[in-house]
Structures are given as structure tokens and as C-alpha cells.
Amino acid sequence: MAQVPQRFLDALAVRTWCGLALQALGRTRAEIDAINVYPVADGDTGTNLYLTVESAVAAVEAVFAGHEAGSGRAPAAAGPSLAEAVRAMAHGALIGARGNSGTILAQLLRGMAQVLADPGRSAHTDGQGLRLALRRAADSARRAVAHPVEGTVLTVASAAADAADGAGGDCGSVARAAYEGARAALAATPGQLAALERAGVVDAGGQGLVTVLAALVQTLTGEIPREAAGPGGHARAGRAGLEAAARAGRARQGGTGTAAAPGGHAPGEQSGPGGSGTPAPAVPHARTGHGDAAAPDACAAHASGPAFEVIYLLEAEDAAVARLRERLDALGDSLVVVGGDGLWNVHVHVDDAGAAVEAGVEAGRPHRIRITHFGAGDAHTTGGERPARERARRAVVAVVPGEGLAGLYAEAGATTVLARPGEPPASGELLAALRRAHAREVVLLPNDADLRHTAAAAAEQARAEGIRVALIPTRSAVQGIAALAVHEPGRRFDEDVVAMTSAAGATRYAEVTVAERQAWTTAGICQAGDVLGLIDGDVAVIGPDVTATAETVLDRMLRAGGEMVTLVLGDEAPESVADRLETRVRESYLAVDTVVYRGGRQGALLLIGVE
């Protein structure tokens, strides 16, 4: 069925545009992934853009669903306004942004929303409004990147805005001009970045933006633009085409900016695996720790790069974010901070992941933290550029409940997915982490009994994509720590999985938390505010005091024996509880060691593991 054109950009057109963009990125995701060679061959630009737009679509659909569920509205007022739709689109993209290209796309959509949601505008906008929106989008996205250079998605966005500025007519004409300008700029990217020219490809993030603009043209005109079905003629050019693109790029050099990292190297899609031959920093009592790595910028001027990619949402004031930018810029590279109005998406590459998260804590409230460890042997850590990158042999993906544990797991080489209290990750988020690991074999640690079905669904989908996934049914983060402590990527996969499963299964787990309301439990009736001690998932102790309850729980666990006690303290746990429990173990249980970690905002006051 032919697409019905929308003469103006209104709420329905925004909904249609988002849906068409998602469909188009779904069709071209693998092709865009395949041409992602700069700054390093991450192989997931298309996937990250797809997940970003998917989040935008969900937010827009939720707004429409809310209006449709309302009652008493006149038919003409049944749907959301243009302002509501574009704000939802921008917010959804912001909270779901993945990788550098996804983060920059979120800022592009936010820039458009800032113009289109202006209170002075009507229920729809005309060509002039769309021109202003595209210009604001390009400018705001460029400002979000710490050190822009030529040749990636920002160059393409600026060219689209330039072309729209010179176009007359309605929204369809403006969108078509922007699309054609973006296509021309995309063709020139091989002349701006040597890695693209050597590989014979265009910039992957720019290709994704062209795909999104093609969906806008289709929405507003009902026509599918030429070469909009995929990277096609742009993706792999012949030598003559590359030379022409190079000439065009050199002629344009010095005009628009593009995504770049401090020191003059540009950030690309930054997730992927690490090699499996060199152990990463291990958990303190671990034998080895190693897993995936996400590849950051290829640095022409540096022989090595930061070890971690850190991404998080941040609730903070503008002044605090300005200070955060300065601090993160000094800590690492590939810095992109997008958002506003109290909510930001932060992306940076650093050697000290804990310091990057700590900087966010000092600025405001970080959440949805994702930390990926870069492995040895990729272009980032060797300073070289390569046209393709093989999958790592093996990686570990783990769900963790707090920022402190996220840093701990990442230092041990794992890719982490942060689970906030009451907000467990969806199967799509776990699948994205499995892909981001970019390994032939992946061990998945859900660390929560309630995530077993979600994790199983993600693992099954990953297996269908050719990834060998072993799901170890860890029910707590302390069981995951035990599993990671015996992980040895050098041995056979089955043997490694058996050892990790055995270590997790031999670890009893408990948590100490506070009851939110009156309830029946396996230990009796609790009241709101009571301290609960749960052992292996069941309430075993109800008490008035955190330390006393924790002592009782630990004593019950150690009656069955144990050699190692692991304590993970939440932010709200009393400072004295760890010292008291360590003293208890030392005085009452001979030959039992204790290790203490800081878990951050992990929901529970205390996690306990006994191995």
C-alpha cells in the first residue's frame, strides 16, 4: 500500500515518520553494521541506531495510546499535539540512545523538538518550521560533541540543514532537499576520513541518518527516495567514485563539524568485544577476569586508548553538567553529552570507569549505567585502523543492580547491564549487550531469579544470530561474582561454563532490605519499616535493626559452613555494618575470609554471599 503523504508535519506525521524510520533501520541494520569501519570496526552502528529509534517509537506510541484511552474528548482533540509528539520522540530517543551515533541522533531529534514544540506554533508546522528545526538539530548535536571533526554523522546533519535552508516550498520539499544534501555529504565522507577511503565505504552513522531522513521524505511526500532502501550504492564505492568523493570532501573541508573525541579523533559506534587472550583486571579474589570489549576511537596520534566505555543517564542541573563535561574531558576521550531540562545522556571512554561514574554521582543522579571493557588487540588499544574486526573468542555479559558492582564487573572484563530497582532490563536490552560483546561465545549472568525468562529469550535470539550463549542461572550478583572469579577464557567453553555454574551454585546468597508495607512472609508478618533478611530468596529474619538482622542472617548462612563471605554494601547501609560483620566472622568463624564491595544504589541495603 502506498504511503499517504502528510502535507504538514503534525503529531500523526511524527508518529508515521518514527515508524517508517524504525522499519527502514530494521531492514538496513546489518548493512550499516557491516560498513562501520571508522573510527574502529565496531560492527553495531546500525543496531545502535535501530535501538535508539525503537525507544523513540515506544515513547510516541505511549503518548498516542494515552490519548486514545482517554474519555470525553471530542474527535478532533483525541490525539496528541505536535508538541507532545515531538517531545515524546526526543525523550524516548534520549533514554534509549546507544553508542555514539545513537546518542548524536537523540540530540538531533531533541534539537528538532525544541523548535517544533515551541508554544507559539500551531498543531502543525510548515516548510519554514521544518527548516528551522533541521538547523537547530544540526547545531545542537555538534555542540554536544567535545571535539568535532569532519567526516561522520555531524557532517551529514550539517549538510542536510544547509540544503534545507536553501529550499522553498512545503515540508515535503524541505525534507527532500535535506535528504539530497545529506546523501551528497555522505558520498563525500571517504574523502574526509582515510579509513573510509581505504575500506571503500561511507560513514556508517551518516548512512543511518540518511536512512532516517529518507523516512521523513516518505512520510511527507508518500514517495520513497532513490537509494533509500539501504546503503546500496553508497556503501561500497568503486575507485573512481572514491576519488570523486575525496575531491568533494577536500573542497568542503573546514565547513561543518562532526563527532570527534578529544585530541582530534572522532567517536563512532563504541561497543564491541575484546580479545580473549589477555586477562583484564580481576575481581580481588578472582583467578582471572576477562570478557568483551567495546571498541572506541581509532587514534592516529596515540598508540593506545582508554580501557572502558561508560554510558549513563544523568539527572542533573545545567551548571553541574558543565562541570561534569570538563572533568570527563580530562579523564578520557570520545565525550558526548546530550539532553537538557534536567536529564542527560553521557558517553565517554576512560581508563578509570569508577571515576567516570563517580563524576556523575557528584553532578547528580546517574542511572542505567553501562560499562564495557575494551580488550587487547583492537584498533583502539593498538593505535591501528583495520577494515574489519573478528569476533572475540569469549565474553561475559552480566546484569548488575548497582553502579559499584557495574564497575567491579567491568574491571573483571564483563559487559554490564544495570538493573535499577523496579526497572529490570527487557530482553531487547540483554540482546543488545550480547551483540555488543561481539564474541563467538558468551556467558550470560542474569543475577536475578525473576530475569530467567527474559534472559532465556535474549539468549535464544542471540543463538539464532550465530552466537553461542550459555545462560548460567545466577540468582544474585554475589553468585555472579563467584562465577566470574573462576572464569578462564583460555579453556574449553563447556568446561568454563561448568566451572562457573558450579561456583555460582555453591554460593548461598542473602540480602537485607527494608519492608515497604505490611505483608505476610515466610518468617511471619512484617510491618512497613521492618528490616528483612532474605536467604536464598525467602524471608528468614524480621528485625528492627539493620546490623543485628544482618548478623543473624550471616550466622544462619555460616552454620552450614563456608570459606568466603562476600558483602556488597548499598548506599543507604549503615557505615558500621561491614566492620561489625567482618569482626563477627573473624571472631566466630576460623579460616573464613571476608571481602567487602560498595554496590552504590543497588536497592538492597546489603547483599551477602557465602561460598
Side-chain angles (χ1 to χ4, degrees), residues 363-517:
R365 189 174 79 88
H367 52 96
R368 295 195 183 184
I369 300 171
R370 295 194 297 274
I371 302 175
T372 303
H373 176 258
F374 300 138
D378 61 21
H380 183 71
T381 56
T382 62
E385 296 171 346
R386 59 190 192 188
R389 190 197 56 185
E390 295 183 0
R391 290 181 178 273
R393 177 183 176 187
R394 191 172 305 160
V396 176
V397 172
V399 180
V400 292
E403 301 95 331
L405 281 177
L408 175 71
Y409 272 76
E411 288 173 6
T415 291
T416 61
V417 178
L418 191 68
R420 295 181 64 199
E423 297 183 19
S427 61
E429 189 169 358
L430 296 184
L431 177 59
L434 292 171
R435 290 168 175 161
R436 191 167 73 245
H438 202 71
R440 297 190 297 274
E441 302 167 344
V442 181
V443 179
L444 177 58
L445 306 175
N447 292 340
D448 187 336
D450 292 336
L451 284 178
R452 62 186 184 278
H453 296 305
T454 301
E460 188 63 28
Q461 178 60 39
R463 293 184 188 114
E465 297 178 7
I467 304 172
R468 188 181 185 187
V469 181
L471 172 59
I472 297 179
T474 49
R475 294 173 291 175
S476 170
V478 292
Q479 288 189 324
I481 290 173
L484 199 56
V486 300
H487 172 49
E488 292 185 8
R491 62 186 165 195
R492 292 178 57 243
F493 185 59
D494 291 341
E495 293 176 353
D496 199 29
V497 171
V498 168
M500 295 177 72
T501 302
S502 297
T507 301
R508 300 190 68 197
Y509 65 96
E511 68 177 78
V512 176
T513 188
V514 176
E516 296 180 353
R517 59 185 179 277

Side-chain angles (χ1 to χ4, degrees), residues 48 72 91 131 176 227 231 236 527 555 595 598 604:
N48 285 340
H91 180 75
R131 281 192 291 273
R176 189 181 289 108
E227 296 187 18
R236 301 202 174 272
Q527 305 295 328
D555 283 339
V595 61
R598 294 283 175 178

Side-chain angles (χ1 to χ4, degrees), residues 263 265 298-304 383:
H265 35 91
C299 300
H302 293 80
S304 63

Side-chain angles (χ1 to χ4, degrees), residues 99-105 107 140-147 154 259-262 266-268 270 297 310-312 325 328 333-339 344-349:
N100 261 14
S101 290
T103 304
I104 291 170
L105 177 61
Q107 188 68 3
S140 63
R142 187 167 184 262
R143 286 194 299 270
V145 180
H147 302 272
L154 291 184
Q270 296 151 352
D297 311 324
V310 179
I311 306 172
Y312 50 80
R325 288 179 191 267
L328 292 180
D333 61 29
S334 300
L335 175 61
V336 183
V337 181
V338 303
W344 308 82
N345 191 306
V346 179
H347 176 287
V348 69
H349 289 177

